[in-house]
Amino acid sequence: MLLLNYNSLLISMPGGTEWILIILAVLILFGGRKIPEFMRGLGRGIREFNDAKSNVKKEIEEGMSEKENAATNNTSAKQEA
């Protein structure tokens, strides 16, 4: 039986030192002035994604309710005939 070391298989979140290195790399690559613009763009993108997601959800729910209404109208029309 093969025993696996699960600690080596799991990818963990960066620790304190790794976060500092990541932040320094971002500062060096983008500069201090570009980071607020980047964050604003990221926020707009997330907002647009959430809006699109809610629109799709609303359209699906409306379609399902229209289908249910059509089905109930068909059954009531058949019962009247």
Side-chain angles (χ1 to χ4, degrees):
M1 183 166 113
L2 178 66
L3 295 176
L4 297 174
N5 185 358
Y6 288 105
N7 291 334
S8 64
L9 294 176
L10 297 176
I11 299 174
S12 64
M13 291 295 294
T17 307
E18 289 89 2
W19 280 114
I20 292 171
L21 291 175
I22 291 169
I23 291 170
L24 285 174
V26 168
L27 280 173
I28 290 170
L29 291 174
F30 294 107
R33 294 182 185 174
K34 295 286 184 179
I35 293 175
E37 294 174 22
F38 175 71
M39 290 303 190
R40 265 186 240 113
L42 185 65
R44 280 189 212 116
I46 291 172
R47 192 176 319 114
E48 289 177 11
F49 176 78
N50 286 333
D51 290 343
K53 182 175 69 170
S54 63
N55 286 340
V56 168
K57 182 178 177 181
K58 184 176 78 171
E59 289 178 12
I60 291 172
E61 289 173 351
E62 287 174 357
M64 289 174 63
S65 65
E66 287 177 5
K67 186 176 181 181
E68 289 174 0
N69 290 339
T72 56
N73 289 340
N74 287 341
T75 53
S76 63
K78 287 180 183 178
Q79 290 175 354
E80 290 175 4

